[in-house]
Structures are given as structure tokens and as C-alpha cells.
């Protein structure tokens, strides 16, 4: 049923919209304490990550757009690791898995924007839903019998997800724009993501 609905919406927008391929790169800063689901996000990973994605951008009306596509984000592990508890230590060079926090979202986004004419500044409200894949790499510390060491652990998880946000399109040219936004994202297992995002978007009209 879900697949049928997505296909109907996608085919309808192809028939009535003005399609484009939108490629974006940017950065993300999480401000939710439950971002990783494992806690201590800002201690274990970079406070800002990099993201990239591709979307099929369709103008359904002058104020409504649908954008099915995908987005990948990476938050590398910190070079200095903090041990949570009553003491801390710093290592250089770092040891550990080096896997970081990986996030792949396959989604369809609905964006309502105004004014309807594509001028320099266009605020928008967006909602999206799709399927989320995550790989969470982390460095662990162990000690015992007078010895200590570091190891890597990895958690793979996936689930249906949805989100909403607000932002603005700042048009540099007819094909290039900058998009600052605030976005909340939640998966069905109650992992709530709050993200500050800035993306550079290049659109190719078909």
C-alpha cells in the first residue's frame, strides 16, 4: 500500500510538474541529546558533520514541490576521546574503530514555499518521510588485570522515519542556491534528531 501511494504521487508529479535534478552538499550540526541513541554524541563525534544528496525536484504548483531522493551524512569520530564517568584522558594519535556515525535516508520531501515567484529569498516549510539506515561506530575503553586498551563497536539499525522543518532558499543564480534550515527528524523507535543544516544546492532542469 505504501509503495502504491508513493508511485502514484511520483507519476502524477512527473506528468504535471517541471522536473529538475538537484544535487546538494553541506554541513549538519545536531542539537538533540538522543541523536545517536547511545548518548554522549558531542563527546564521541565531531560536533558538525558533512552531508550530500540527490533529489528529483518537481514543481507541482507555484508554491508546492515534491523531492524524492536520498541523503547521506557522516559524523567522524573525534581525534581525542573522552571517557565518561569520573575521569578523562586524551590520546594522540587516536585509537579505535574510526567508523564514525553514518546516516543514509531514502525519502520523499514535500516543500511549501512563499512567495511563489523564485526571487532571491524564499522561506519554506517542509515535511518528509522515508526509510533510514544508520551505522554507529564508537570507540570503547576496557581495563582489567593491570592492563587497558581500546576497541571498536558498531551498531547497525534501520527503520521508517519522518521529519519536518523550516528554512529558506537564498538564490545565487537560476541554478544555484544556499539553503539554511532547522530540521527535526524522528524514526519509529523514538530517536529524535534536531539538525541545523546549511546546504549548497545546484539544480539542472530537465
Amino acid at each position: 500500500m505504501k509503495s502504491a501511494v508513493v508511485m502514484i504521487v511520483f507519476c502524477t508529479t512527473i506528468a504535471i510538474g517541471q522536473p529538475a535534478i538537484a544535487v546538494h552538499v553541506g554541513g549538519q550540526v545536531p542539537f538533540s541529546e538522543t541523536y545517536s541513541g547511545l548518548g554522549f554524541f558531542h563527546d564521541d563525534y565531531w560536533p558538525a558533520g558533512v552531508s550530500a544528496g540527490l533529489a528529483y525536484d518537481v514543481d507541482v504548483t507555484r508554491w508546492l514541490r515534491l523531492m524524492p531522493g536520498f541523503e547521506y551524512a557522516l559524523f567522524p569520530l573525534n581525534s581525542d576521546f573522552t571517557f565518561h564517568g569520573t575521569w578523562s584522558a586524551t590520546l594522540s594519535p587516536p585509537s579505535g574503530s574510526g567508523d564514525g556515525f553514518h546516516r543514509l535516508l531514502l525519502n520523499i520531501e514535500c516543500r511549501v514555499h512563499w512567495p511563489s515567484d523564485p526571487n532571491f529569498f524564499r522561506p519554506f516549510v517542509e515535511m518528509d518521510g522515508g526509510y533510514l539506515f544508520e551505522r554507529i561506530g564508537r570507540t570503547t575503553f576496557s581495563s582489567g588485570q593491570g592492563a587497558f586498551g581500546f576497541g571498536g563497536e558498531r551498531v547497525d539499525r534501520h527503520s521508517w522515519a519522518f521529519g519536518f522543518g523550516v528554512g529558506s532558499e537564498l538564490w545565487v543564480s537560476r541554478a544555484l542556491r544556499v539553503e539554511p534550515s532547522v530540521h527535526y527528524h524522528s524514526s519509529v523507535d523514538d530517536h529524535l534528531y534536531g539538525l541545523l543544516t546549511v546546504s549548497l544546492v545546484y539544480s539542472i532542469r530537465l
Side-chain angles (χ1 to χ4, degrees):
M1 182 62 182
K2 294 178 182 177
S3 300
V5 172
V6 171
M7 287 302 298
I8 291 172
V9 172
F10 185 74
C11 294
T12 302
T13 56
I14 291 176
I16 65 177
Q18 299 177 359
I21 299 296
V23 181
H24 71 268
V25 294
Q28 298 182 345
V29 178
F31 57 87
S32 169
E33 294 181 357
T34 60
Y35 188 89
S36 71
L38 298 179
F40 307 112
F41 183 84
H42 290 287
D43 292 332
D44 293 334
Y45 305 99
W46 284 12
V50 295
S51 62
L54 182 70
Y56 185 82
D57 191 344
V58 181
D59 294 322
V60 180
T61 69
R62 294 177 65 87
W63 52 269
L64 176 64
R65 299 201 341 245
L66 290 181
M67 293 180 285
F70 69 90
E71 180 183 75
Y72 168 76
L74 169 64
F75 294 85
L77 283 169
N78 273 325
S79 59
D80 298 325
F81 300 114
T82 300
F83 309 118
H84 315 299
T86 59
W87 63 284
S88 64
T90 301
L91 296 181
S92 181
S95 301
S97 68
D99 203 13
F101 187 103
H102 303 260
R103 180 174 175 268
L104 176 64
L105 177 64
L106 309 176
N107 72 331
I108 180 168
E109 179 181 324
C110 175
R111 180 174 293 185
V112 177
H113 54 85
W114 71 93
S116 58
D117 295 327
N119 51 23
F120 171 72
F121 178 74
R122 288 203 307 180
F124 61 81
V125 176
E126 63 182 3
M127 296 174 292
D128 66 74
Y131 206 72
L132 180 66
F133 298 89
E134 293 177 327
R135 170 170 291 181
I136 305 167
R138 194 176 181 188
T139 299
T140 57
F141 173 76
S142 61
S143 62
Q145 297 181 350
F148 65 91
F150 293 86
E153 68 178 17
R154 194 182 78 191
V155 176
D156 294 318
R157 66 188 185 194
H158 52 87
S159 66
W160 290 101
F162 61 92
F164 63 93
V166 295
S168 180
E169 298 175 355
L170 307 176
W171 290 81
V172 180
S173 68
R174 291 176 60 89
L176 186 66
R177 65 183 186 266
V178 179
E179 293 184 359
S181 64
V182 179
H183 195 84
Y184 284 91
H185 212 97
S186 179
S187 56
V188 294
D189 55 357
D190 297 327
H191 295 292
L192 179 63
Y193 307 160
L195 296 171
L196 298 174
T197 301
V198 177
S199 297
L200 182 65
V201 184
Y202 185 77
S203 295
I204 305 171
R205 287 291 172 183
L206 301 179

